[in-house]
Amino acid sequence: MSMIAPRNSPRPKLPNGVRIYAISDIHGCAHLLEQMFAVIDADMANSRPYRAIEVFLGDYIDRGPDSRHTLDLLINRSRRRNTVFLKGNHEAYFTSVLEDPARAAEWFQFGGLQTLMSYGVSAAPGLGKDELPDLVRELTSVMPPEHIAFLRQLRPTFTCGDFFFVHAGVRPGIPLSEQREQDLLWIRDEFLQSNRRFGKYVVHGHTPVKQAELLENRANIDTGAYATGNLTLLSIQGNSMLAI
């Protein structure tokens, strides 16, 4: 799938020799992530880019069946040292719940129960709202410390060449260097409905679409993996983009 090139405007471009592989909104679908790792590894073996960078756009946990194994896979992948991990709204919310277990009921509405269960912590049917914080404390006691450290060290954005990678998007009219983290992690309509240029070409997830959208000013690569079974990989090299 090729990007639609803006008229009378140069295509966004990466530095020579750099290839980026971007994935967003894994949401605990560890089996799909493993498949994409195999695709990336095969492509790198075949094309041998001078420098490959793997960029993950957040929302690694919640909703899907295996958040724990997803984090294990990502942490193991990070040892290659060519990886960039961005923060999604689900990671931001989860770390706030770790700090304040009283927010557990809200987290469960975002798919937190599936994350809890992936660590072997179960909620009995009919559990009262006042008892939910105890489940969060139990989860904290069984989570590997490296998982908590990973979630707390995520960065909000990544820039390479003419591309700006972020979880949700940016607020139109605000310079990229002045964006608020709240917008970077949560924004929807104001960003999605904007046709303006943002200073760089924005690659994002957060809002599920049936298939990857490669538009003139942005690319949305969240294809709702936990609901559709379709986890999208975006490959970028030079001024070409391909969604797989």
Side-chain angles (χ1 to χ4, degrees):
M1 187 177 190
S2 299
M3 185 186 74
I4 301 171
R7 286 188 178 183
N8 303 318
S9 178
R11 285 179 158 196
K13 186 178 181 180
L14 288 176
N16 291 337
V18 174
R19 175 168 292 190
I20 285 182
Y21 302 95
I23 298 175
S24 190
D25 294 83
I26 301 161
H27 279 302
C29 294
H31 63 296
L32 299 179
L33 181 60
E34 288 178 307
Q35 293 172 15
M36 283 306 173
F37 282 165
V39 172
I40 293 171
D41 291 344
D43 187 70
M44 284 198 291
N46 181 60
S47 61
R48 299 188 179 278
Y50 176 74
R51 185 184 181 199
I53 306 173
E54 299 173 26
V55 183
F56 301 89
L57 305 183
D59 279 10
Y60 313 115
I61 61 171
D62 298 345
R63 302 196 190 282
D66 206 344
S67 291
R68 176 174 186 152
H69 189 42
T70 297
L71 294 184
D72 280 335
L73 290 170
L74 293 172
I75 291 168
N76 184 62
R77 195 76 172 182
S78 73
R79 297 187 175 101
R80 296 188 174 200
R81 302 189 182 281
N82 69 329
T83 49
V84 175
F85 299 100
L86 303 186
K87 183 190 301 184
N89 59 303
H90 281 258
E91 287 76 44
Y93 205 91
F94 176 61
T95 53
S96 74
V97 170
L98 293 182
E99 300 296 331
D100 181 10
R103 303 184 70 182
E106 300 170 47
W107 177 49
F108 284 175
Q109 294 178 3
F110 285 111
L113 183 60
Q114 289 87 342
T115 296
L116 195 80
M117 293 172 63
S118 76
Y119 286 91
V121 179
S122 58
L127 199 66
K129 186 176 180 179
D130 292 342
E131 299 171 276
L132 298 181
D134 290 336
L135 291 179
V136 174
R137 297 184 185 97
E138 183 181 350
L139 173 63
T140 304
S141 71
V142 300
M143 281 187 76
E146 63 178 356
H147 285 204
I148 296 175
F150 175 84
L151 294 170
R152 286 179 169 158
Q153 292 168 7
L154 301 171
R155 56 193 288 183
T157 67
F158 173 67
T159 300
C160 187
D162 298 327
F163 292 86
F164 183 85
F165 298 86
V166 65
H167 177 64
V170 299
R171 184 163 295 279
I174 305 296
L176 295 179
S177 62
E178 299 176 17
Q179 294 284 330
R180 297 186 313 148
E181 185 167 292
Q182 175 75 12
D183 288 327
L184 298 172
L185 302 186
W186 292 91
I187 198 167
R188 291 195 194 273
D189 291 346
E190 301 95 325
F191 168 66
L192 299 174
Q193 295 171 5
S194 177
N195 294 319
R196 69 163 65 199
R197 310 294 177 205
F198 303 114
K200 289 185 180 290
Y201 189 87
V202 178
V203 179
H204 68 97
H206 185 56
T207 302
V209 288
K210 289 184 179 180
Q211 60 182 19
E213 294 180 340
L214 307 186
L215 307 177
E216 293 188 350
N217 59 348
R218 63 179 179 85
N220 182 356
I221 60 171
D222 175 9
T223 46
Y226 73 93
T228 66
N230 179 24
L231 181 63
T232 291
L233 170 67
L234 181 66
S235 174
I236 311 171
Q237 185 159 13
N239 61 4
S240 68
M241 296 192 293
L242 177 67
I244 304 168

